[in-house]
Amino acid sequence: MEPFADVITLLRPRAIGTKVIEGAGRWAVRRSRMNLAGFGLVLIGECWLTVDGHKPVRLAKGDFVLVPADPGFTIASDLACEVVSIDMEGALHCQADGVRYGDPDLALEFKQLGGNFELDSANRGLLGGLLPTLVHIQASDPAAGRLKRMIDSIVEEWLADRPGREVVVDRLIEVLLVEALRFRSEGVDVIGQTGLLVGLADPLLARALRRLHNDVARPWSVEELAKEAGLSRSVFSERFGQKVGVPPMQYLMDWRMALAKAMLPRDAPPLEAVAVAIGYQSATPSAPPSAERSVAHPVTSLAPQPDKQRPAATCRSEVMSLRPLIQDRCGQ
């Protein structure tokens, strides 16, 4: 699978609801930081969106915006307006009938269709940082039309009281995330951000990242990954850290732990099986965990992979020596 598809699969986005935001006159509202992600599509008019830590972005009709992380943000008709904080808990209960800001007596000037979704709490902290804080796709971008059709499908399914509605909407949200993130054109605002999207936009780093995700059972080292990218070890390490936001080996460690966290609540395999599945089959009791250079087996491979070079009892003993690390990092 592609690295982004892998990450989205482990984040398991779950739809919370869709809503319509309308505005007239001068208005500005702020939503504080919550453990929710969101998306929006401007249907009528324009507005300003200011995500914490970023410069204001002007959204026009047909523009799509995705906020995969959970920062606070302000949406306004005018940046000079006095900002009013909104009750987000109450706003979550507003579905397609929506909310209206500004002067209720004026004709409608702004309309946006949006929705909220939450990411799996087990891996949100580990993997959420790999996603950009803000993605802005302008109406002129070819991706905008595809995303609008997808949002229409999400809204239609959400409003219909049909069997399996939640499952269908959650799968559509997953596809929406991948679609929005993979269409990186000039209209996608990732300037000044770090993360997996920025790393994959670099052709050399993308080669290494894809090889890592396609063969996660391999005992990768920085040197081997640098060779895949066609760069020297030092240049690769610096470039990876600058664009992805974490050092290469930290990325490997976090990915292993993400796989383990996904396995434990879902299938409850033995701890030894989890340890082996995330790449600890060549660990030794005396070696510090930070020295490990192997990575996880694919999430679909839950059975232990015994080391054919050593007796099974020795493998079990070495894997069990990592119990404190796995329990600590996986929250068990």
Side-chain angles (χ1 to χ4, degrees):
M1 294 179 71
E2 281 288 304
F4 251 116
D6 287 344
V7 170
I8 298 302
T9 298
L10 289 192
L11 285 174
R12 298 175 186 174
R14 185 176 70 85
I16 299 297
T18 60
K19 59 183 177 293
V20 173
I21 297 173
E22 298 179 345
R26 301 177 75 249
W27 53 272
V29 293
R30 172 174 172 75
R31 191 207 82 174
S32 58
R33 180 185 179 97
M34 292 186 66
N35 291 327
L36 292 175
F39 62 88
L41 179 69
V42 179
L43 303 176
I44 298 174
E46 299 181 340
C47 74
W48 288 98
L49 173 67
T50 306
V51 176
D52 290 356
H54 293 269
K55 295 180 180 179
V57 174
R58 187 67 170 171
L59 303 181
K61 180 180 177 180
D63 283 10
F64 173 85
V65 63
L66 172 69
V67 186
D70 56 356
F73 65 82
T74 299
I75 182 172
S77 64
D78 187 335
L79 292 176
C81 290
E82 181 180 356
V83 178
V84 177
S85 295
I86 60 175
D87 176 11
M88 194 57 196
E89 292 297 333
L92 288 177
H93 297 291
C94 297
Q95 301 301 319
D97 51 342
V99 293
R100 182 173 175 126
Y101 302 124
D103 192 332
D105 297 324
L106 293 179
L108 180 68
E109 298 173 337
F110 173 77
K111 187 175 183 179
Q112 182 187 55
L113 174 64
N116 294 104
F117 54 93
E118 62 182 0
L119 304 176
D120 184 64
S121 59
N123 276 317
R124 185 174 57 229
L126 274 177
L127 302 180
L130 295 175
L131 304 180
T133 306
L134 171 67
V135 174
H136 174 205
I137 300 179
Q138 297 175 320
S140 57
D141 192 296
R146 291 171 59 90
L147 294 169
K148 183 182 184 305
R149 292 192 295 272
M150 197 165 300
I151 292 175
D152 289 343
S153 297
I154 291 171
V155 174
E156 177 187 356
E157 190 65 36
W158 184 263
L159 296 177
D161 188 17
R162 292 181 291 204
R165 181 188 69 168
E166 289 78 9
V167 175
V168 173
V169 171
D170 288 347
R171 297 294 80 76
L172 287 172
I173 289 289
E174 284 190 6
V175 177
L176 175 73
L177 280 172
V178 175
E179 286 279 0
L181 292 168
R182 74 178 183 174
F183 275 90
R184 186 183 188 277
S185 67
E186 294 302 319
V188 179
D189 180 18
V190 294
I191 298 175
Q193 301 186 55
T194 61
L196 187 54
L197 182 65
V198 183
L200 289 172
D202 183 312
L204 301 182
L205 293 184
R207 286 210 307 254
L209 284 164
R210 290 191 174 103
R211 285 286 291 118
L212 185 156
H213 279 257
N214 287 333
D215 189 11
V216 290
R218 181 173 173 175
W220 292 104
S221 66
V222 176
E223 290 81 1
E224 289 174 317
L225 289 171
K227 183 177 179 181
E228 292 290 339
L231 298 169
S232 68
R233 185 186 190 280
S234 59
V235 171
F236 173 77
S237 294
E238 181 180 5
R239 196 159 166 171
F240 194 99
Q242 288 177 344
K243 298 199 173 187
V244 180
V246 293
M249 290 300 102
Q250 183 63 49
Y251 182 89
L252 293 181
M253 173 68 79
D254 288 347
W255 183 241
R256 286 197 297 233
M257 291 302 122
L259 291 172
K261 285 184 175 185
M263 293 178 202
L264 288 169
R266 185 187 64 191
D267 299 290
L271 189 63
E272 304 97 303
V274 175
V276 174
I278 63 174
Y280 281 123
Q281 65 267 34
S282 54
T284 61
S286 59
S290 60
E292 291 305 311
R293 290 297 179 266
S294 57
V295 297
H297 287 286
V299 70
T300 55
S301 177
L302 300 180
Q305 304 295 320
D307 188 334
K308 297 180 180 180
Q309 303 302 316
R310 295 170 295 162
T314 302
C315 295
R316 175 183 172 83
S317 174
E318 294 179 356
V319 168
M320 288 301 293
S321 71
L322 294 166
R323 177 185 291 271
L325 170 67
I326 297 172
Q327 289 176 326
D328 177 63
R329 293 297 299 271
C330 298
Q332 297 298 305

